[in-house]
Amino acid sequence: MVWKSGEKTPMKIWGFYSVFYLIFAVFCLLTIFVGFDYYDSGFILALSSKLNDGQIIYRDFDYVRPFGTPVFWAILLKPFFFVKDYLYLICRMLVLMQFAVISYQVSRVIFNNDRWDKRMLISIPFLMISNINIFPAMPWHTIDGLFFLSLSLFYLHKKNILLAILFSIIAATTKQSFFLIPFLLTVISVFFHRRFNFKLNLKFFLILASCIIILLIFKIPDALYFYRSVSLDSNKKIIYDVGFEIYLDSFKYIFPFLGSAIIAILIWIKIKNSSSFVPNFIGIFLGFCFLIPFYHYVTDYYSATPKYTDYTILSSANALLPITVFLLIYSIFKDRKKTLNTTLTEVCAATIIWSSAISWGAGNIFLAFPFVFLTLKSDSFFSNKIMMILLPLSILNLRIINPYLEKNIFEERYIKLENLPVYSGIYTSKSNAEYLAQSKVIFEKYKNILFLPGFPAASVMFEKTKNRMPWEMNVEYPNYKKDLSLLHCKNLYFVVDKKSFSYDKNSFYGSSFTDEVKKKKTKIDSTGLFYIYK
């Protein structure tokens, strides 16, 4: 795939690039303009809006994580809040830029290049597609953490340990599971300080000074005084489930491993190149992981009795982390030419992958996929034109058949949202469009409303009265009792999603605040999707 300067580029190379970038363009357009969910998508947006309204995190509203993500997005969105109707489109474009930066930084480490390498024309789009995967492209704490950790990892690779630690600390302000990274880098700096460049530079001081100024502007020192009131007790079972069990479960389905190994061995025998075995195995393994859900979808589509309810069953892909850890340990003993700095960078990357998956929502390693390729050191992987077409195509296909929390374009007609706060310009399923249409009608009729229990974007779209947490599930709303005084407001209407009546109060979606509204307020009206209480 490399040609000499001045040499005519073969037509097949242009054909490859045309198909590759067409897939990438379609993937990006779908990611930006198609689909949304009203549960998760407005969460960070609503919290950043509170900060820009002058509220202080933890004191004035609940947030059970470190402060970094709401502050980060309050800064990013500050210039755009006047474009209120298209705010979510802007968010998605900014999120795509984050993914591009992550992919660029990881590519710099993979190719050991400080600036630009022609191979990045393939690696960056490919890593972006594999990174975004089926993620609905919204502001999210895990993405923010990985964004800063990609910078941290690059500076670790460059032996600038001070900037590496600084960016890891910034990342740790986005999610508790990232606390481990700055600690790891500090240990590395203590034991291997002679191998790193500790020279202070202007960039370090500018970033540090900017961080201090931001902390003061958003009154974070004052906010931390209230942090204990919103912090939840750690659940050791959750840590076990998402920190260990998901990797054990990933080996339950033997077919992807066995099939990938057999095909990779056959290719290895044919081309007689041992260094190609791991990249081929990983590529084929990912292909199986992405195509099996498609097989489930097709099976259901033509079956009178569908048996698969979730086409995002990609749990086997989590096995990539234990596989990469094994390969990393193996390479330490086998490759005597590998530098200590390279080994430490790969160890740190593996730790980042593990930390990113710790979540009480969707525990998987998908959002850290670029770091997987870094630990594999599979720079030759990106020169495999077949892989670079088939894998992005299979991910694009998966994104089309299983959009996040809504029906796909083959199951339900999609509608362009217009003249609507936040979500204008988005194409979404008819049922989602109806949800927003009814919300808008309720707002125009009652004005002072509060949506419950899982429509956080409404805080930005419609609501005048602001409660402590616009996503009123118990797991996100530890201080809901402080908002019970809202039940005494004479001109406040509570709009309750009818689906909430099927939630167990002890389940993940349980909402004690919503239960109090149902018990103590009177139902005065209803629509197809909502009850209105006063």
Side-chain angles (χ1 to χ4, degrees):
M1 204 168 68
V2 179
W3 59 92
K4 296 178 182 178
S5 178
E7 182 182 333
K8 288 187 177 180
T9 306
M11 286 299 295
K12 63 180 181 180
I13 296 297
W14 285 117
F16 163 74
Y17 274 105
S18 299
V19 174
F20 178 76
Y21 279 108
L22 176 62
I23 296 171
F24 178 64
V26 172
F27 185 88
C28 289
L29 290 173
L30 280 175
T31 301
I32 294 173
F33 291 102
V34 179
F36 91 100
D37 77 284
Y38 46 83
Y39 287 107
D40 299 342
S41 62
F43 180 43
I44 301 301
L45 178 63
L47 300 184
S48 63
S49 175
K50 286 177 176 290
L51 286 173
N52 279 320
D53 287 342
Q55 294 190 25
I56 297 177
I57 191 170
Y58 308 136
R59 189 194 73 177
D60 299 323
F61 63 91
D62 289 357
Y63 186 60
V64 298
R65 299 166 190 83
F67 57 84
T69 286
V71 169
F72 180 59
W73 280 95
I75 296 169
L76 288 181
L77 293 176
K78 184 73 172 179
F80 301 111
F81 270 106
F82 72 94
V83 196
K84 188 174 180 179
D85 282 7
Y86 298 94
L87 202 54
Y88 195 59
L89 279 178
I90 293 169
C91 284
R92 282 189 161 172
M93 293 175 188
L94 292 172
V95 170
L96 250 67
M97 291 173 64
Q98 283 185 291
F99 282 117
V101 171
I102 292 170
S103 300
Y104 172 58
Q105 299 300 339
V106 171
S107 295
R108 293 168 86 184
V109 179
I110 290 175
F111 299 130
N112 195 23
N113 196 317
D114 291 356
R115 292 177 176 83
W116 179 256
D117 188 301
K118 190 159 55 178
R119 291 171 292 183
M120 294 179 190
L121 289 171
I122 298 299
S123 69
I124 292 176
F126 174 80
L127 290 175
M128 285 181 66
I129 292 174
S130 64
N131 198 183
I132 299 169
N133 205 285
I134 55 174
F135 181 72
M138 57 189 173
W140 204 246
H141 42 274
T142 304
I143 299 298
D144 297 336
L146 291 170
F147 171 76
F148 290 112
L149 286 172
S150 70
L151 294 165
S152 174
L153 205 67
F154 171 73
Y155 284 111
L156 174 63
H157 175 70
K158 293 300 297 175
K159 302 181 182 180
N160 190 331
I161 193 67
L162 289 175
L163 277 174
I165 291 175
L166 180 58
F167 277 113
S168 72
I169 292 173
I170 297 173
T173 68
T174 65
K175 187 176 177 179
Q176 287 94 330
S177 62
F178 290 139
F179 286 176
L180 178 61
I181 312 300
F183 174 77
L184 175 63
L185 290 176
T186 302
V187 171
I188 288 173
S189 68
V190 170
F191 286 94
F192 303 102
H193 62 278
R194 292 182 181 179
R195 299 176 182 268
F196 289 106
N197 176 16
F198 281 86
K199 183 179 179 181
L200 297 179
N201 53 49
L202 181 61
K203 187 183 296 185
F204 174 84
F205 283 114
L206 287 176
I207 296 171
L208 181 60
S210 299
C211 291
I212 293 172
I213 292 170
I214 289 169
L215 293 178
L216 294 176
I217 289 174
F218 288 96
K219 301 180 180 178
I220 299 303
D222 295 338
L224 292 177
Y225 177 77
F226 300 91
Y227 178 69
R228 180 175 291 275
S229 70
V230 300
S231 61
L232 298 174
D233 293 334
S234 61
N235 188 325
K236 294 180 181 179
K237 186 178 185 303
I238 290 177
I239 294 174
Y240 170 76
D241 289 346
V242 297
F244 300 98
E245 189 174 24
I246 61 170
Y247 304 108
L248 298 175
D249 289 344
S250 66
F251 292 97
K252 284 183 177 179
Y253 308 100
I254 193 65
F255 174 72
F257 301 97
L258 186 61
S260 303
I262 291 172
I263 297 173
I265 289 172
L266 292 175
I267 295 173
W268 177 22
I269 293 172
K270 182 177 180 179
I271 65 176
K272 297 179 180 179
N273 181 0
S274 60
S275 64
S276 67
F277 175 79
V278 171
N280 285 335
F281 171 80
I282 297 301
I284 297 165
F285 175 71
L286 285 174
F288 277 123
C289 290
F290 298 139
L291 289 174
I292 288 173
F294 177 64
Y295 166 76
H296 290 173
Y297 174 78
V298 173
T299 302
D300 270 6
Y301 189 81
Y302 290 103
S303 174
T305 56
K307 61 179 179 178
Y308 300 109
T309 57
D310 187 354
Y311 308 118
T312 63
I313 301 174
L314 304 172
S315 59
S316 293
N318 287 323
L320 282 176
L321 179 57
I323 288 172
T324 56
V325 170
F326 169 78
L327 292 172
L328 176 58
I329 295 171
Y330 176 74
S331 69
I332 291 174
F333 290 99
K334 182 185 177 183
D335 188 358
R336 299 185 181 277
K337 295 181 180 180
K338 180 182 284 190
T339 65
L340 177 64
N341 187 46
T342 300
T343 300
L344 293 175
T345 303
E346 292 173 3
V347 168
C348 191
T351 308
I352 290 171
I353 298 167
W354 182 78
S355 300
S356 72
I358 297 179
S359 168
W360 57 29
N364 57 61
I365 67 170
F366 297 141
L367 293 178
F369 259 11
F371 298 89
V372 170
F373 293 100
L374 188 151
T375 59
L376 294 173
K377 296 301 290 182
S378 298
D379 54 331
S380 62
F381 180 83
F382 302 102
S383 64
N384 188 323
K385 292 192 283 290
I386 296 176
M387 294 282 192
M388 292 300 102
I389 294 295
L390 293 183
L391 286 178
L393 194 59
S394 62
I395 296 173
L396 173 62
N397 167 72
L398 187 59
R399 191 172 187 89
I400 291 172
I401 66 169
N402 204 127
Y404 186 68
L405 292 181
E406 64 179 327
K407 293 183 177 180
N408 65 41
I409 57 176
F410 304 112
E411 298 170 320
E412 192 168 295
R413 184 166 65 92
Y414 269 49
I415 298 170
K416 184 181 181 181
L417 301 175
E418 296 180 302
N419 302 316
L420 192 72
V422 177
Y423 290 114
S424 288
I426 299 287
Y427 289 84
T428 189
S429 60
K430 184 180 178 181
S431 54
N432 266 5
E434 179 62 23
Y435 190 96
L436 294 178
Q438 290 189 27
S439 303
K440 186 177 181 181
V441 169
I442 292 171
F443 167 69
E444 291 172 349
K445 182 177 181 179
Y446 293 102
K447 302 302 180 185
N448 194 13
I449 57 178
L450 197 63
F451 281 89
L452 302 170
F455 185 19
S459 175
V460 183
M461 297 172 71
F462 307 121
E463 295 172 0
K464 297 178 182 178
T465 300
K466 306 294 184 182
N467 56 345
R468 288 188 62 86
M469 170 44 65
W471 203 7
E472 292 86 359
M473 301 186 305
N474 291 336
V475 293
E476 300 286 352
Y477 202 6
N479 287 312
Y480 78 91
K481 290 182 180 179
K482 292 183 179 181
D483 278 340
L484 291 179
S485 60
L486 294 174
L487 272 62
H488 303 294
C489 295
K490 293 183 178 180
N491 296 316
L492 178 61
Y493 298 85
F494 299 91
V495 185
V496 179
D497 190 326
K498 288 185 176 180
K499 290 196 298 294
S500 69
F501 285 81
S502 64
Y503 299 155
D504 183 340
K505 66 179 181 180
N506 297 317
S507 72
F508 182 79
Y509 295 99
S511 171
S512 296
F513 184 81
T514 305
D515 292 339
E516 290 294 318
V517 170
K518 293 173 184 176
K519 285 190 294 185
K520 297 180 179 179
K521 306 302 287 185
T522 303
K523 189 190 303 179
I524 62 168
D525 197 359
S526 71
T527 68
L529 298 171
F530 300 100
Y531 290 122
I532 294 89
Y533 288 80
K534 188 178 187 301

